[in-house]
Amino acid sequence: MTTTIQTVRLDRSWWSRHGGTTTVWTLRALLVAALLLVWELTAERWFDITFTSRPSDIWTRLVQWQQDGTLWSNTWITVQEIVYGFVLGAVAGALTGFLLASAPAVYRVLDPFIMALYAIPKVALAPLFIVWFGIGLHMKVLLAAATVFFLVFLNTAAGVREVDRGLIDAVRLMGGGRREIMLKVVVPSSMTGLLTGLKVAIPYALIGAVIGELVASNRGLGYLINDAAAQFDTAGVFATLAVLSVIAALLNLVVGLLDRRARRWKPMGAEQ
């Protein structure tokens, strides 16, 4: 006796598939609009706009900087520093975390030294990096990379060390060697830790680059903040912060897309 299984296609509407996401984004947009409106209406009544500025002034400053080229030239410099620093720190942190966590004895020896370096405030490294690399692009990239490295390293190492031993034993029972264990179990299972590190590190890459610009620079968004603050241009400071927020949001979006693709690598038992 044979049993025929029929699949029924569910014709879901656009709203049933995307309604939840649309609602969330609509509420977010309304919240931001409401906050900006309240800020605009109460700026002169409740606050001194010398210290708080207001959305209309911030927008005017952004338009002015866009027209004279100030915004794009300085934003491009900072974006390069953030991206290069993030990629360099992430790659170095992921590889180091994977290799050291795969050698438990070595990891135990180096762990206190790594944590001691991690505890050093990265802003304290800026003067030393200036002496070593000058005030150019390299100094900011390496400062951002140093900030990102430890976050990615620690999360990747934690992901490798928490791999399900049962999966490793199962691969060994099926005749798999060290290479199969690494590629089919350890790497996919540790992706959660790696991606967590990448997500956490995004704002720190931005922080590292901007700190370098604040300490010593003649271009970049950090320089714009310094220059605007020196002139008591509060609108300019807020305008720069708004641009930095947009950059961070875009980087988070990229990592989110990578996260979706990486989930396909995870073993079925690792998906929670």
Side-chain angles (χ1 to χ4, degrees):
M1 180 178 180
T2 59
T3 303
T4 303
I5 300 176
Q6 296 181 344
T7 59
V8 179
R9 182 179 177 183
L10 296 177
D11 292 326
R12 301 172 62 195
S13 65
W14 182 91
W15 182 257
S16 65
R17 287 182 283 114
H18 305 288
T21 302
T22 303
T23 301
V24 169
W25 280 101
T26 301
L27 291 175
R28 288 173 179 172
L30 290 175
L31 176 61
V32 171
L35 291 175
L36 291 177
L37 180 61
V38 171
W39 184 2
E40 179 71 26
L41 295 177
T42 61
E44 289 185 294
R45 299 177 184 177
W46 296 356
F47 310 105
D48 185 347
I49 60 173
T50 305
F51 300 100
T52 62
S53 189
R54 53 189 174 188
S56 58
D57 293 337
I58 296 170
W59 178 254
T60 300
R61 181 69 70 252
L62 284 171
V63 172
Q64 176 187 342
W65 281 350
Q66 188 274 331
Q67 291 175 344
D68 62 19
T70 300
L71 180 63
W72 299 117
S73 60
N74 288 280
T75 298
W76 175 238
I77 294 296
T78 302
V79 167
Q80 290 183 79
E81 296 165 355
I82 294 170
V83 173
Y84 293 156
F86 180 78
V87 172
L88 179 60
V91 171
L95 291 176
T96 306
F98 184 81
L99 293 174
L100 289 184
S102 300
V106 178
Y107 189 89
R108 289 182 62 187
V109 172
L110 297 179
D111 181 58
F113 301 102
I114 294 172
M115 295 308 298
L117 292 174
Y118 174 56
I120 297 175
K122 302 307 173 287
V123 65
L125 297 176
L128 188 59
F129 279 25
I130 291 173
V131 173
W132 288 349
F133 308 109
I135 65 171
L137 183 72
H138 294 86
M139 186 271 285
K140 286 86 171 183
V141 169
L142 291 173
L143 189 59
T147 308
V148 169
F149 171 84
F150 291 99
L151 295 170
V152 177
F153 166 80
L154 293 173
N155 282 278
T156 302
V160 173
R161 298 176 72 185
E162 293 173 3
V163 171
D164 188 353
R165 304 301 303 182
L167 292 174
I168 296 177
D169 293 338
V171 173
R172 284 175 177 165
L173 287 173
M174 291 185 289
R178 184 177 181 84
R179 181 173 180 274
E180 285 73 21
I181 291 174
M182 287 294 177
L183 295 179
K184 297 183 179 180
V185 178
V186 178
V187 172
S189 296
S190 62
M191 288 301 295
T192 300
L194 171 60
L195 289 167
T196 299
L198 293 177
K199 288 181 179 180
V200 173
I202 285 175
Y204 287 91
L206 188 149
I207 290 170
V210 173
I211 284 176
E213 293 175 346
L214 289 171
V215 172
S217 182
N218 56 4
R219 52 184 182 170
L221 294 178
Y223 164 74
L224 280 186
I225 292 176
N226 260 341
D227 186 60
Q231 300 178 43
F232 226 79
D233 180 11
T234 313
V237 175
F238 276 111
T240 310
L241 293 177
V243 175
L244 289 172
S245 298
V246 172
I247 294 173
L250 292 175
L251 290 174
N252 270 307
L253 179 61
V254 171
V255 174
L257 294 175
L258 292 175
D259 186 12
R260 292 181 184 177
R261 289 187 173 274
R263 287 180 186 276
R264 303 174 185 175
W265 286 22
K266 295 177 64 177
M268 293 182 63
E271 193 76 41
Q272 299 293 335

